[in-house]
Amino acid sequence: MTIDVKRWADRYVAQWNEPDPATRTALVRELWAPDGVQVLVDPPQAIREAAADLAFPVPPLEVRGHDALDARVARAYEMFVAPGEHVFEVAGEASLLLQNVVAIRWSMVSTRTREAVGGGLDILALDGDGRVRTDHQFIGVS
């Protein structure tokens, strides 16, 4: 499998910015394997504290499958992009770590100031068709 890493990273980030629900759903189905999974490796502090209060270890947060991934991408769009305050962008160059493993650094950028106000790193393992099988997302990684 040969992939154009820059093009792939641009398409991956584009799904998070897509305003049209039907197009966004089509992107999710195109980019993700049917049983693809996204794991938020380091959940937000409030979730870590709530788990600790219940004497549970910090749980990884994950969504699996097209419907759950579509809901996840839609919710991120609704929270961060739809209000017009932010947009997601590829930050730096995406890297091909192994034949089927891609690293994408991204930023959440203020539409007003064009400054990065958040960001992270996604490590994507692709299946034989070039679709995301697993996505380990690290938020806050520069």
Side-chain angles (χ1 to χ4, degrees), residues 65-102:
H66 284 158
D67 291 342
L69 288 160
D70 190 32
R72 164 84 173 106
V73 173
R75 184 64 181 134
Y77 174 81
E78 292 163 1
M79 290 175 66
F80 303 111
V81 179
E85 296 175 17
H86 304 102
V87 66
F88 294 105
E89 296 179 355
V90 175
E93 290 188 30
S95 302
L96 187 62
L97 302 177
L98 297 169
Q99 180 179 352
N100 65 332
V101 179
V102 177

Side-chain angles (χ1 to χ4, degrees), residues 3-10 93-96 101-104:
I3 63 170
D4 178 338
V5 176
K6 180 184 181 337
R7 182 176 177 276
W8 209 101
D10 289 343
E93 290 188 30
S95 302
L96 187 62
V101 179
V102 177
I104 300 173

